[in-house]
Amino acid sequence: AEYLQMPHAVGCSNGSDALILALDALGIGPGDEVLVPSFTFFSTAGSVSRVGATPVFVDIDPATYQIDPLSISAVLQTRPRGKVKAIMPVHLFGQACDLDAVMSIARDHDLRVIEDAAQAIGTEDVHGRRVGSVGDIGTYSFFPSKNLGGFGDGGLCATNDADLAERMLRFRNHGMKPKYFHHDVGLNSRLDALQAAVLLVKIEHLDAWSAGRQANARYYDEAFANAGAATSAVSLDEGGLPLRTPQPAPAGARHIYNQYVIRVPAAHRDALRKALADAAIGSEIYYPKCLHQQDCYLDLGYSAGAFPHAERAAGEVVAIPIYPDLSETQKAHVVSTVLASVRSFNA
């Protein structure tokens, strides 16, 4: 709670349960709708479905991959007044979304805000606010791949509201208080004590690890820019070296780089990943298929092209190693391998 700059923090079993607990605490359920970005990990939408509500998808900003406030406003115009109950922005890859715009829309439409900060513990917006502390509830994941990861699953909900914190404490323990007296149908989602002990040790190192990721990102930014790469604010259609690097965080904000995501033309992405694998360099696609195109959501009736920025990102993005222990030799190897592959695209 101290690190997140909020008075209340409620540990739970994982980041997906954290979203469910937040939705339950806000009374969101069957018949309700929640706005979520289509380009994110599945649990953002899956949690909405698990409480019986319906995810309503919106597009992303193509430069930052964050939820697009213009798309939020456009989608809200298509929904019956009062049907949508909340917005669930995701601070994807460790960068803050435009919280000022999201909160303004939420106030205008009387919506609750659950900030999915699973990849963004310690991220700050342009005002220096820790993400998760601005909306009604912030949710976090301690999956081992996160900047603050346990030795297994773990999650957390944080809030400035004492009543919401009390509800989540109760919901995570079968809706029980006192023992064997159940006010709600809750979850068995307590944070395991061993994971909590591990995290209490590791959190002392979190800022140093995030600083290491930021330093590695600066190395990549400079090396790729010197080779002719532009940031993702420039479409690949505009030509030049067919490589785009992450759009830097604006002045005053803090990007913790849970992922460092580059973009290449969709037709060449597999070739780049093969080149990286052949050079013993890990890579991953976050995420290869938008949520509105997943089989389990086809019944919602979204057509191809419904969210063009999300769909294009799904075809072009590749995450390369960014973890803080990368050596100078390793970073140089990543850069040279990426550039050699990218330069071969039109050869």
Side-chain angles (χ1 to χ4, degrees):
E2 180 181 353
Y3 185 82
L4 297 173
Q5 300 176 354
M6 283 180 277
H8 307 286
V10 178
C12 61
S13 292
N14 54 68
S16 299
D17 276 6
L19 292 166
I20 292 173
L21 290 168
L23 290 161
D24 279 341
L26 293 172
I28 294 171
D32 297 332
E33 296 179 343
V34 179
L35 301 186
V36 301
S38 186
F39 185 70
T40 183
F41 182 60
F42 180 78
S43 64
T44 310
S47 64
V48 177
S49 298
R50 294 304 302 171
V51 301
T54 301
V56 175
F57 297 109
V58 299
D59 211 348
I60 59 168
D61 181 304
T64 66
Y65 311 110
Q66 309 302 315
I67 194 168
D68 181 10
L70 294 177
S71 184
I72 294 174
S73 296
V75 170
L76 279 170
Q77 292 177 13
T78 71
R79 314 309 301 167
R81 185 80 180 185
K83 189 75 169 175
V84 176
K85 295 296 171 50
I87 307 172
M88 193 179 285
V90 181
H91 302 291
L92 199 65
F93 305 145
Q95 185 167 5
C97 73
D98 186 347
L99 280 169
D100 286 343
V102 170
M103 296 305 296
S104 176
I105 294 169
R107 285 190 295 269
D108 289 345
H109 293 267
D110 194 25
L111 304 178
R112 310 306 290 266
V113 175
I114 299 170
E115 295 181 60
D116 184 342
Q119 300 180 5
I121 187 167
T123 295
E124 297 175 358
D125 74 354
V126 293
H127 305 292
R129 300 174 296 189
R130 290 276 162 97
V131 298
S133 68
V134 182
D136 294 282
I137 299 170
T139 66
Y140 306 82
S141 170
F142 300 130
F143 188 74
S145 65
K146 301 299 191 290
N147 287 32
L148 179 61
F151 285 175
D153 280 313
L156 185 137
C157 302
T159 183
N160 294 304
D161 187 310
D163 289 337
L164 289 177
E166 177 63 25
R167 288 182 210 170
M168 291 186 290
L169 282 167
R170 192 170 71 240
F171 277 123
R172 75 170 181 180
N173 193 26
H174 298 290
M176 179 171 61
K177 187 179 181 180
K179 195 173 184 179
Y180 304 134
F181 288 80
H182 302 266
H183 304 272
D184 313 280
V185 178
L187 303 173
N188 178 15
S189 188
R190 298 175 297 274
L191 178 62
D192 181 79
L194 180 59
Q195 298 302 333
V198 168
L199 292 165
L200 282 171
V201 174
K202 294 183 72 174
I203 196 170
E204 300 298 328
H205 304 275
L206 176 56
D207 282 337
W209 291 334
S210 293
R213 290 172 178 267
Q214 292 166 333
N216 292 342
R218 288 192 295 271
Y219 179 99
Y220 284 150
D221 287 346
E222 182 177 354
F224 290 135
N226 288 341
T231 73
S232 51
V234 180
S235 169
L236 285 163
D237 294 338
E238 296 189 33
L241 187 73
L243 174 66
R244 299 294 181 263
T245 56
Q247 176 73 355
R254 183 190 192 210
H255 191 331
I256 65 164
Y257 291 98
N258 181 246
Q259 305 295 343
Y260 187 93
V261 175
I262 60 176
R263 294 180 80 146
V264 296
H268 299 293
R269 183 169 67 179
D270 287 347
L272 171 61
R273 293 200 71 203
K274 183 179 185 304
L276 290 168
D278 289 347
I281 298 169
S283 69
E284 188 53 88
I285 300 172
Y286 304 105
Y287 298 93
K289 193 173 187 179
C290 294
L291 297 184
H292 71 279
Q293 297 175 312
Q294 298 290 344
D295 289 350
C296 60
Y297 286 131
L298 293 181
D299 62 332
L300 296 179
Y302 292 98
S303 59
F307 305 111
H309 296 312
E311 291 170 32
R312 182 160 184 178
E316 295 177 351
V317 296
V318 181
I320 59 176
I322 190 65
Y323 57 91
D325 295 328
L326 283 170
S327 68
E328 295 299 307
T329 300
Q330 288 173 319
K331 286 183 287 188
H333 181 49
V334 172
V335 168
S336 63
T337 302
V338 169
L339 292 177
S341 179
V342 167
R343 286 165 174 159
S344 72
F345 290 167
N346 298 319

